[in-house]
């Protein structure tokens, strides 16, 4: 049983467009992390959200944590080809990094 | 500073053979993790070392998998004998005690034919 559902699974857009990807669970998250993985590399941590309703910004990326802490979204403004990659959400298991990942959203930004 | 390094980057072996994957964490990181992603599935936790001790090995799929971290530095993950379903990418990650960020290696691609 997959605990984290990510949507869409694939997304192909043109440079300059905006997009939103989602991460949902039937369970409450203690905290949620977003990662980006580029081909041939491991996941790289982008952000951690902890508080319900929290919004964090990282340049053109906006991360939102749902009020009930059961969902999260990642919005990219004016996407660029360098944003291409696999975006993963993950839930931490307590104080360590026993992470539960979603399957990810594979984003392609075409020039 | 060097990141998490993994070796080999790619390995193709026959069913029934043995493969040993190695991970060198970032120097000074007490916590070391193994994850894997098999085709079509999400990345899944395998186990967690704190220094040389296994803190949590609840994700190890079966007794064909053996992980060690002698001396609390680098770690090895041995698969013996390998089966077709073991094919996938094996990631190692590390972080310091109390650290808020985890660092992943580039992964070791394993193909069992």
């Amino acid at each position: 049983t997959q605990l984290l559902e990510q949507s869409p699974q694939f997304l192909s857009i043109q440079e300059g467009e905006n997009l939103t990807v989602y991460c949902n669970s039937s369970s409450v998250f203690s905290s949620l992390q977003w990662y980006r993985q580029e081909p041939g590399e491991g996941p790289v941590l982008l952000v951690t959200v902890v508080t319900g309703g929290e919004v964090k910004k990282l340049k053109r990326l906006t991360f939102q944590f749902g009020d009930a802490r059961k969902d999260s979204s990642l919005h990219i403004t004016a996407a660029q080809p360098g944003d291409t990659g696999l975006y993963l959400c993950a839930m931490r298991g307590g104080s360590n990094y026993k992470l539960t990942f979603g399957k990810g959203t594979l984003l392609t930004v075409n020039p | 500073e060097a990141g998490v390094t993994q070796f080999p980057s790619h390995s193709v072996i026959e069913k029934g053979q043995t493969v040993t994957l190695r991970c060198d964490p970032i120097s000074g990181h007490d916590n070391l993790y193994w994850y894997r992603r098999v085709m079509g599935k999400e990345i899944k936790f395998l186990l967690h070392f704190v220094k040389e001790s296994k803190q949590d090995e609840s994700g190890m799929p079966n007794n064909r998998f053996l992980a060690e971290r002698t001396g609390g530095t680098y770690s090895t993950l041995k698969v013996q004998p390998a089966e077709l379903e073991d094919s996938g990418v094996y990631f190692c990650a590390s972080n310091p005690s109390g650290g808020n960020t985890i660092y992943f290696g580039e992964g070791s691609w394993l193909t069992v034919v």
Side-chain angles (χ1 to χ4, degrees), chain A residues 55-105:
Chain A
V55 177
K56 284 191 173 180
K57 293 193 174 185
L58 185 65
K59 296 183 181 178
R60 292 176 294 99
L61 278 61
T62 301
F63 304 86
Q64 187 158 5
F65 202 14
D67 290 340
R69 290 165 41 224
K70 297 172 75 171
D71 59 273
S72 182
S73 63
L74 159 58
H75 181 79
I76 301 179
T77 303
Q80 299 177 2
D83 295 327
T84 292
L86 180 67
Y87 288 82
L88 298 158
C89 65
M91 182 170 60
R92 282 181 68 173
S95 60
N96 62 36
Y97 267 91
K98 182 179 181 179
L99 296 167
T100 299
F101 282 92
K103 285 189 176 181
T105 292

Side-chain angles (χ1 to χ4, degrees), chain B residues 20-79:
Chain B
T20 300
L21 310 177
R22 172 173 170 144
C23 169
D24 285 79
I26 294 173
S27 178
H29 283 193
D30 287 341
N31 294 292
L32 186 149
Y33 307 81
W34 283 98
Y35 286 84
R36 78 170 178 177
R37 181 171 190 152
V38 298
M39 181 89 65
K41 301 285 189 181
E42 64 274 20
I43 298 173
K44 286 192 175 179
F45 169 85
L46 295 179
L47 87 159
H48 169 209
F49 282 101
V50 177
K51 297 184 180 178
E52 68 276 8
S53 299
K54 292 177 184 175
Q55 181 76 12
D56 183 347
E57 53 182 329
S58 60
M60 295 288 265
N62 52 61
N63 59 10
R64 296 186 293 104
F65 290 76
L66 176 63
E68 295 180 323
R69 193 183 181 193
T70 306
T73 54
Y74 72 90
S75 175
T76 58
L77 180 64
K78 181 191 290 187
V79 185

Side-chain angles (χ1 to χ4, degrees), chain A residues 13-31:
Chain A
I13 62 171
Q14 294 300 121
E15 182 176 0
E17 293 183 357
N18 301 332
L19 67 113
T20 302
V21 298
Y22 302 91
C23 176
N24 295 284
S25 173
S26 56
S27 304
V28 174
F29 303 125
S30 55
S31 65

